[in-house]
Amino acid sequence: MNLRRRQFLQTIAGAALGTTLAPLMSTIGFAKPSARIKEFQFTASATQVQLGEGPDFEAWTYNGQVPGPEIRVQEGDIIRVTLKNDLADATTIHWHGIPLQNPMDGVPGITQPAVKPGETFVYEFEARPAGSFLYHSHAGYQLDQGLYGPLVIEPSRAEQAYDQEFTLVLEDWVLRDGGGTASVQRRPPMGGMHGRMHRGPAFGPADGPLWEPVYDGYAINGRVNGAIDGLLVRKGDRIKIRLINACSATVFFLRLAGHSLTITHADGNPIRPVETDVVRIGMGERYDVMFTADNPGNWLLAAYDSGLGEGRLQIPVLYRDVRREEPQTPAFHRNLRMADYGEFQALHPTDYRGGEADRIFNQPLSGGMHSSAWGINGQVYPYADPLMVKKGERVRLRYSNHSMMPHPMHLHGHFFRVINRSLPPEQWVQKDTLILDHMQRFDVEFMADNPGRWFHHCHNLYHMEAGMANVVVYENFSNSMTF
Ligand SMILES: [Cu+2]
């Protein structure tokens, strides 16, 4: 039991207006009489799992299941999750994409002390805005071992109508040992020679970061190919799919045979519908897509981990009242439409005006050659300067990827706007995770409107742990939870 945290919450719940807590209370939201509190109990533990077929292995789970339970609430609800740690290691939960209050962000050493074995911690925050999110441990390599799950906030105002909805959590697994630190077989870094070394050259803290494991179990909602539950649809229905990439190190390309897909939301944010053949989704990204079931038959929604080659995931899409036959695989060739960030624009224009940024941070991304160290602006976290900002500033991050690998860069606590010179600023799409390809540049901007210390990192777990991270720090922000 984390007593300090417990007392903190009780103090707030009891509406005892301690002078130091008063400013926090005014923004935390749970004093609202109309808000409904949605309670969840999560126990993190090591569990034997099996992904529909294949071997049993040990994963780290919430409530004994992979992925963890779906949290589904209404916009404006208060989410209260009591995390009990039955693991042998300290842990946290991060609420990926939700611009919540800093002390609830779940990054050990930055927003809270990690929750020790046997302890309990209560997360509480307002479910806002609506959209598709995920939650996951932010401690070490625990995400890769299974500590993640989907989080859906349903909108309070009506959006595009649909008849059926599915949530698909994409996962990369090592079936032999569960991945993470336990994994024996690993991919060498770009330019490396041997695949079986456990660690790269000593670099950074402790004995050096781990290389990515060799994944052999790609899964949807905890099921591998052959055991994946098909999506049963009815002719004429509008189908909504929430795609959530909870992988540690796999970018997927998805295509549905016999149909095009329409992207309606990017990282939870509604966008002007973009019709596409292929959806590319990086680690930490979410896309809501829709399609009309207007082509009766048996089809596959296939996911590839590169533009061509073997489908890693095959999700049957089956029409009711159609004779069951082998589902048809989507053709995958170079003439397909693949939506890119340049096509995305906000569905509802914002009041964003653009103009000169108050701060610009160059964020060149590099690393990976003959080494497992990755960095931003030549610095390797935790030996990285913080990005200091002041509340109210408009902050620009200027990414450029000088490495050979794609990097899905993720900012905590804020949505950023992807700068697009062909659109007025009020139409720039908001995201929280953005893939930078080899030699690609993107500028993003965010409003410094959520004081705190916010982690900013590559969402390839192995790049993050190897140093591709830094922290956005608000001047004069003092964490009321001193630790
Ligand atoms: Cu990366």
Side-chain angles (χ1 to χ4, degrees):
M1 175 73 69
N2 185 326
L3 281 176
R4 193 185 296 126
R5 182 67 206 147
R6 223 33 197 148
Q7 285 158 357
F8 171 78
L9 281 174
Q10 279 163 2
T11 308
I12 286 185
L17 282 166
T19 47
T20 53
L21 290 176
L24 194 53
M25 255 200 87
S26 63
T27 50
I28 216 161
F30 39 168
K32 286 182 191 165
S34 60
R36 293 176 302 172
I37 295 176
K38 297 291 181 64
E39 294 246 19
F40 302 87
Q41 310 289 329
F42 280 13
T43 300
S45 67
T47 313
Q48 287 295 120
V49 299
Q50 196 243 20
L51 305 179
E53 50 184 54
D56 286 17
F57 61 94
E58 187 182 276
W60 287 20
T61 69
Y62 296 116
N63 296 358
Q65 64 181 82
V66 286
E70 179 175 280
I71 293 179
R72 182 175 282 262
V73 297
Q74 296 286 318
E75 190 176 5
D77 285 348
I78 301 303
I79 296 174
R80 180 187 290 163
V81 178
T82 303
L83 167 67
K84 181 167 190 302
N85 183 6
D86 281 352
L87 297 165
D89 287 357
T91 192
T92 62
I93 304 180
H94 168 60
W95 312 95
H96 179 109
I98 299 181
L100 41 56
Q101 284 215 302
N102 194 246
M104 295 289 106
D105 195 46
V107 183
I110 296 179
T111 67
Q112 68 170 109
V115 184
K116 295 195 184 79
E119 286 188 343
T120 294
F121 186 89
V122 180
Y123 291 96
E124 186 159 326
F125 53 93
E126 189 173 7
R128 193 175 296 282
S132 305
F133 299 94
L134 73 150
Y135 61 85
H136 63 81
S137 167
H138 225 297
Y141 299 94
Q142 294 177 6
L143 163 64
D144 205 18
Q145 291 165 281
L147 290 173
Y148 55 79
L151 195 169
V152 174
I153 302 177
E154 294 179 339
S156 53
R157 73 166 157 182
E159 294 191 339
Q160 299 98 329
Y162 52 87
D163 301 296
Q164 274 198 88
E165 177 191 341
F166 300 94
T167 301
L168 302 182
V169 179
L170 299 111
E171 309 158 73
D172 49 13
W173 284 101
V174 182
L175 298 176
R176 175 158 71 176
D177 44 35
T181 50
S183 231
V184 176
Q185 199 169 1
R186 295 190 181 275
R187 287 177 185 159
M190 195 66 79
M193 299 284 287
H194 307 289
R196 284 180 168 274
M197 286 181 61
H198 288 207
R199 290 177 189 279
F203 199 115
D207 46 355
L210 291 168
W211 295 346
E212 286 172 27
V214 177
Y215 295 104
D216 59 357
Y218 297 91
I220 289 279
N221 298 344
R223 317 273 290 176
V224 290
N225 274 348
I228 294 174
D229 299 326
L231 314 183
L232 201 56
V233 303
R234 189 174 310 135
K235 187 183 174 203
D237 277 1
R238 283 291 281 168
I239 310 296
K240 178 183 176 79
I241 301 178
R242 296 174 187 270
L243 297 168
I244 299 174
N245 189 341
C247 291
S248 293
T250 307
V251 176
F252 278 113
F253 297 77
L254 288 102
R255 183 169 190 222
L256 171 59
H259 305 72
S260 60
L261 297 169
T262 301
I263 302 176
T264 63
H265 295 69
D267 295 351
N269 294 286
I271 63 169
R272 282 219 197 148
V274 175
E275 194 177 332
T276 186
D277 298 312
V278 180
V279 177
R280 182 197 197 198
I281 185 167
M283 299 78 85
E285 286 191 302
R286 293 89 62 210
Y287 286 111
D288 294 7
V289 300
M290 292 182 78
F291 69 95
T292 303
D294 57 4
N295 193 5
N298 299 289
W299 308 99
L300 285 178
L301 172 60
Y304 300 75
D305 68 348
S306 66
L308 299 165
E310 285 291 297
R312 294 294 195 182
L313 282 166
Q314 300 184 333
I315 304 134
V317 174
L318 310 170
Y319 281 66
R320 291 175 202 272
D321 310 319
V322 166
R323 194 158 64 90
R324 289 286 164 257
E325 287 169 352
E326 193 64 22
Q328 196 168 322
T329 307
F332 219 98
H333 51 82
R334 294 186 186 281
N335 297 325
L336 297 171
R337 290 168 299 174
M338 186 173 85
D340 70 47
Y341 298 138
E343 294 173 69
F344 296 165
Q345 49 184 301
L347 180 63
H348 310 292
T350 62
D351 56 5
Y352 205 65
R353 291 286 165 261
E356 193 92 340
D358 298 299
R359 301 215 186 224
I360 298 176
F361 294 103
N362 286 320
Q363 301 284 276
L365 313 171
S366 62
M369 296 301 283
H370 308 284
S371 156
S372 57
W374 294 89
I376 304 175
N377 207 11
Q379 297 180 323
V380 174
Y381 187 81
Y383 311 105
D385 297 330
L387 309 183
M388 297 299 303
V389 303
K390 280 199 190 107
K391 192 177 179 200
E393 287 182 334
R394 190 208 320 269
V395 181
R396 180 173 295 199
L397 303 175
R398 180 161 281 172
Y399 294 120
S400 54
N401 180 1
H402 303 272
S403 78
M404 299 300 289
M405 298 275 291
H407 302 290
M409 296 303 295
H410 173 54
L411 174 64
H412 288 213
H414 308 74
F415 291 106
F416 50 67
R417 288 167 168 84
V418 182
I419 293 180
N420 183 340
R421 311 258 173 229
S422 63
L423 291 175
E426 62 266 26
Q427 290 175 14
W428 290 347
V429 67
Q430 299 195 68
K431 289 185 101 272
D432 54 62
T433 309
L434 191 78
I435 306 179
L436 276 293
D437 281 312
H438 170 57
M439 293 313 284
Q440 198 172 29
R441 294 168 183 276
F442 267 113
D443 283 9
V444 305
E445 275 185 11
F446 67 92
M447 286 303 298
D449 57 5
N450 193 7
R453 304 168 66 206
W454 299 103
F455 210 29
H456 167 235
H457 61 90
C458 175
H459 221 280
N460 178 311
L461 183 63
Y462 293 84
H463 297 178
M464 179 187 84
E465 285 293 308
M468 192 171 260
N470 53 34
V471 184
V472 172
V473 176
Y474 280 63
E475 279 180 26
N476 302 318
F477 175 77
S478 64
N479 194 334
S480 53
M481 296 176 54
T482 47
F483 55 86

